[in-house]
Amino acid sequence: MQARKKYVLLGLCACCWLVLFYCGGGVQLRLLRLLTRHRSDVLRPWPNWTDRALLPRYAHLDELQTDPGSAESPRQRRQAWSTVYRDSRCRMDTCFDFSRCRRRGREGFRVYIYPAEKGDHVSESYRKILTSIAESRYYTPDPREACLFVLGIDTLDRDQLSGQFVPDMDERIRSFPSWNDGRNHLIFNLYSGTWPNYTEDLGFNMGQAILAKASLNTEHFRPGFDVSIPLFSKDHPQKGGERGWLLRNTTPPRRKYLLMFKGKRYLTGIGSDTRNALHHIHNGKDIVSLTTCRHGKDWEKHKDARCDHDNLEYER
């Protein structure tokens, strides 16, 4: 009889403990605090991070978008763009003086090329552009007759690591008497920025000039004002051949190659993911994509398994 009472008492205690465990979870915490109060007079929340004050609640959006391999953050890149595109709202009716083009009626559209200064080096590609303009019916040697002005300084390659980069552009273009903050000026450019970020910084303030550029960023392209041009090599011919070379004018054109690209494959930085993705469309038949990893001073540090094969195909 005594043993039965003991078992009943133990069972009631167990049931009470289970009820307290499931329904009153705070009791255990209060009991734990009473047992450990002698260790500390101040109750601290659990867990107690020692560097909690240094940990922000959320990461900043720019931090999440920053490329670990890039040297500047998106915020710094946007600030650089804002200095390049100070007149980002330019349109033909706001940043172009049409009165200069109406002085001679139909013959009013004349293009003037600034003469090259002594010691200036002009690339073969830019020389072809200037020669094409000078041989056209729109060229004028008199700046007073000009509706449009083209720089004689080579601006095609604005990569500071390039041997064709021309320094001190701001000082030089401001010395032109007809510059007028770039109004009625046309600037040609194929390459801009410097590895690995390649922002569209030309290295000078182009003001209200029209930009004819390859690989223009859609965010900064000024519709109806800027001109998007293809990226061409120095071997591209200045003229398309003699009269009568056009054999057909069909749409779409019946050609062997549908798409052809030959250029540098950026291993890191802006543009690397895009060109690596485009590599997979190469089939060697009607779609040909040839790239080389030889770009920059330390490209071998970033070379991958495809570089040796790609370099050979590019040279071949």
Side-chain angles (χ1 to χ4, degrees):
M1 190 66 181
Q2 294 294 333
R4 184 180 297 177
K5 290 181 179 180
K6 291 181 179 179
Y7 288 126
V8 172
L9 184 60
L10 289 175
L12 290 174
C13 291
C15 291
C16 293
W17 182 259
L18 290 175
V19 171
L20 289 173
F21 183 80
Y22 287 106
C23 300
V27 176
Q28 295 95 313
L29 294 177
R30 288 193 292 270
L31 181 60
L32 182 62
R33 291 172 183 174
L34 291 174
L35 295 175
T36 58
R37 182 174 290 275
H38 66 281
R39 298 182 182 179
S40 177
D41 294 331
V42 181
L43 293 178
R44 298 178 181 177
W46 185 89
N48 180 28
W49 304 109
T50 58
D51 55 352
R52 184 168 182 166
L54 303 177
L55 298 176
R57 184 177 296 271
Y58 298 106
H60 195 275
L61 182 60
D62 287 348
E63 297 174 359
L64 298 178
Q65 295 177 342
T66 302
D67 183 2
S70 64
E72 60 182 2
S73 66
R75 177 180 296 175
Q76 292 173 322
R77 195 175 301 121
R78 287 194 299 269
Q79 291 175 350
W81 285 339
S82 65
T83 58
V84 176
Y85 296 92
R86 294 175 182 172
D87 296 281
S88 58
R89 297 185 179 181
C90 268
R91 297 296 184 268
M92 292 299 292
D93 57 342
T94 59
C95 296
F96 195 88
D97 184 7
F98 285 95
S99 64
R100 298 192 62 94
C101 309
R102 300 191 184 104
R103 297 179 181 178
R104 290 178 165 232
R106 294 186 59 187
E107 299 296 328
F109 185 76
R110 294 299 188 93
V111 183
Y112 173 77
I113 301 175
Y114 287 97
E117 298 182 8
K118 186 177 181 180
D120 280 352
H121 174 73
V122 179
S123 65
E124 186 65 25
S125 297
Y126 198 61
R127 191 181 303 277
K128 291 176 181 178
I129 294 176
L130 299 182
T131 302
S132 298
I133 297 175
E135 293 179 353
S136 72
R137 59 184 177 137
Y138 302 106
Y139 172 73
T140 177
D142 188 353
R144 294 172 297 180
E145 299 179 352
C147 167
L148 193 66
F149 298 83
V150 176
L151 300 181
I153 307 172
D154 191 346
T155 57
L156 289 186
D157 193 346
R158 298 304 296 166
D159 184 346
Q160 295 183 13
L161 299 179
S162 172
Q164 297 178 354
F165 179 82
V166 179
D168 304 324
M169 282 290 296
D170 276 316
E171 181 179 351
R172 296 184 63 177
I173 60 179
R174 282 199 299 265
S175 65
F176 297 154
S178 302
W179 174 244
N180 192 23
D181 195 31
R183 182 170 288 236
N184 288 53
H185 282 67
L186 176 63
I187 295 176
F188 291 92
N189 177 253
L190 296 181
Y191 313 99
S192 61
T194 302
W195 183 90
N197 299 304
Y198 289 99
T199 59
E200 297 189 10
D201 187 2
L202 300 183
F204 64 95
N205 180 18
M206 63 182 184
Q208 301 178 24
I210 300 171
L211 180 62
K213 178 176 171 55
S215 303
L216 258 171
N217 192 311
T218 55
E219 184 178 352
H220 307 108
F221 178 75
R222 297 169 291 186
F225 192 76
D226 290 331
V227 182
S228 179
I229 61 175
L231 181 65
F232 58 91
S233 69
K234 62 182 179 180
D235 299 325
H236 190 82
Q238 178 182 336
K239 298 182 179 180
E242 300 296 333
R243 289 174 180 249
W245 277 39
L246 184 61
L247 302 179
R248 61 179 65 90
N249 189 18
T250 58
T251 304
R254 298 188 183 117
R255 296 182 179 180
K256 178 181 179 181
Y257 297 106
L258 176 63
L259 186 147
M260 172 67 186
F261 174 78
K262 185 176 182 181
K264 300 171 182 177
R265 177 164 70 88
Y266 306 137
L267 299 175
T268 59
I270 296 177
S272 58
D273 294 339
T274 303
R275 296 201 176 183
N276 286 333
L278 292 177
H279 168 79
H280 300 287
I281 68 174
H282 169 81
N283 58 20
K285 298 178 182 178
D286 59 338
I287 299 179
V288 179
S289 177
L290 302 175
T291 58
T292 177
C293 298
R294 293 189 176 95
H295 180 56
K297 297 180 180 179
D298 55 349
W299 68 270
E300 293 184 356
K301 297 179 181 179
H302 306 283
K303 66 180 296 187
D304 53 26
R306 284 199 353 247
C307 279
D308 292 335
H309 177 267
D310 287 355
N311 290 342
L312 289 176
E313 288 294 310
Y314 182 89
E315 297 297 334
R316 184 171 67 86

